[in-house]
Amino acid sequence: MTFNLDGFDLDAFVRNTLAEDLGVGLSGGGRDVTSESVIPADARFAGVMDTRDAIEVAGLGVAEAFFRALDPDMKIEIVVADGESVPAGTDLMRLEGNARAMLTAERSALNTVQHLSGIATMVAQYVRAMDNPDCTLLDTRKTIPGLRHLEKYAVRMGGGANHRMGLWDAAMIKDNHVLVAGSVGEAVRRAVAAGVSDIICEVDRIDQIEPALAAGATRLLLDNMEPPVLREAVALVGGRVPTEASGGINLETIRAKAATGVDYVSVGRLTQSAPAADIGLDFTPL
């Protein structure tokens, strides 16, 4: 399969990740000393990647790229698709090729699939807990540096959607921006005057809503509001712009907050705190 993400350089990611593991550029580095000293150069392995957890799958195409970078002729069968929900014990990928290449790429491939599947699995848990087809679960910018595109891809595989990809694709006015501008309304007006088309404005009080809307905000982020206050805020907005609930949202609180009528719920922990899935790779000499 070919793995493509806009803005993500798969070849560079694979190259740099393997270089880190192999110690490229360091004294004595640039090799897998264990495999080179123990495994004959012409040895071949068959391998099976499987999950020990029930998971939402993400990242198999990236894992394939790690193996092919070291053995372009490796036979690889991806058994399930990213975005699938599978039970524990499911085979995800089957491989056959050079043993050294398989062992050298193993950890980078597994780390990626474990991390991304962990995110996708947590996202699916939140979507199920929210239980509201009229409300969309969003991620945030709380991502590991260098992995944003992959982590946000994993969010989509779990059934969520992406908030801003970065600082460039929408203005998001928060308390520190308001502090400098002097008020919510003035902060939004400055963004409008700068020609920004998408302006998300964070409000944490009901009395900030009308000034933000009057100034031209295109979405309101209702921060750290309890369900009764959220319902009041949604009623006041009256559908003039989309609304988003954020802050203090977990598996226990998401359903009540989504039920207030907001269009979106954003959760930072989806990418910030998701545990890695338990995925293994077992080899058999050929």
Side-chain angles (χ1 to χ4, degrees), residues 185-224:
E186 177 60 22
V188 174
R189 278 190 289 274
R190 291 183 185 184
V192 171
V196 180
S197 58
D198 295 324
I199 304 172
I200 305 165
C201 184
E202 177 185 275
V203 299
D204 53 21
R205 303 193 316 269
I206 293 292
D207 64 358
Q208 294 175 317
I209 291 176
E210 286 299 343
L213 292 177
T218 60
R219 184 195 300 183
L220 292 185
L221 190 158
L222 309 172
D223 191 45
N224 283 304

Side-chain angles (χ1 to χ4, degrees), residues 67-68 70-76 95-98 101-102:
F67 293 115
R68 292 209 184 278
L70 299 181
D71 179 2
D73 297 323
M74 188 174 295
K75 297 178 182 178
I76 299 177
L95 312 98
E96 182 179 322
N98 182 269
M102 214 174 285

Side-chain angles (χ1 to χ4, degrees), residues 152-217:
K152 283 180 171 282
Y153 166 79
V155 168
R156 299 194 299 274
M157 293 303 99
N162 300 143
H163 211 291
R164 297 185 300 167
M165 289 303 294
L167 296 170
W168 57 273
D169 53 345
M172 187 162 170
I173 295 168
K174 305 195 76 169
D175 51 359
N176 287 326
H177 304 102
V178 172
L179 183 65
V180 173
S183 70
V184 164
E186 177 60 22
V188 174
R189 278 190 289 274
R190 291 183 185 184
V192 171
V196 180
S197 58
D198 295 324
I199 304 172
I200 305 165
C201 184
E202 177 185 275
V203 299
D204 53 21
R205 303 193 316 269
I206 293 292
D207 64 358
Q208 294 175 317
I209 291 176
E210 286 299 343
L213 292 177

Side-chain angles (χ1 to χ4, degrees), residues 92-174:
L92 307 178
M93 180 185 291
R94 301 187 185 109
L95 312 98
E96 182 179 322
N98 182 269
R100 286 186 181 179
M102 214 174 285
L103 289 168
T104 300
E106 174 189 15
R107 181 44 52 197
S108 296
L110 281 177
N111 285 349
T112 302
V113 178
Q114 288 173 330
H115 180 55
L116 299 186
S117 295
I119 291 172
T121 301
M122 177 178 276
V123 170
Q125 291 170 346
Y126 270 79
V127 171
R128 288 192 294 270
M130 185 168 67
D131 191 26
N132 190 330
D134 297 321
C135 188
T136 300
L137 177 66
L138 298 177
D139 55 20
T140 71
R141 285 173 48 242
K142 294 178 180 177
T143 56
I144 295 174
L147 295 183
R148 177 166 300 168
H149 286 280
L150 286 178
E151 293 181 341
K152 283 180 171 282
Y153 166 79
V155 168
R156 299 194 299 274
M157 293 303 99
N162 300 143
H163 211 291
R164 297 185 300 167
M165 289 303 294
L167 296 170
W168 57 273
D169 53 345
M172 187 162 170
I173 295 168
K174 305 195 76 169

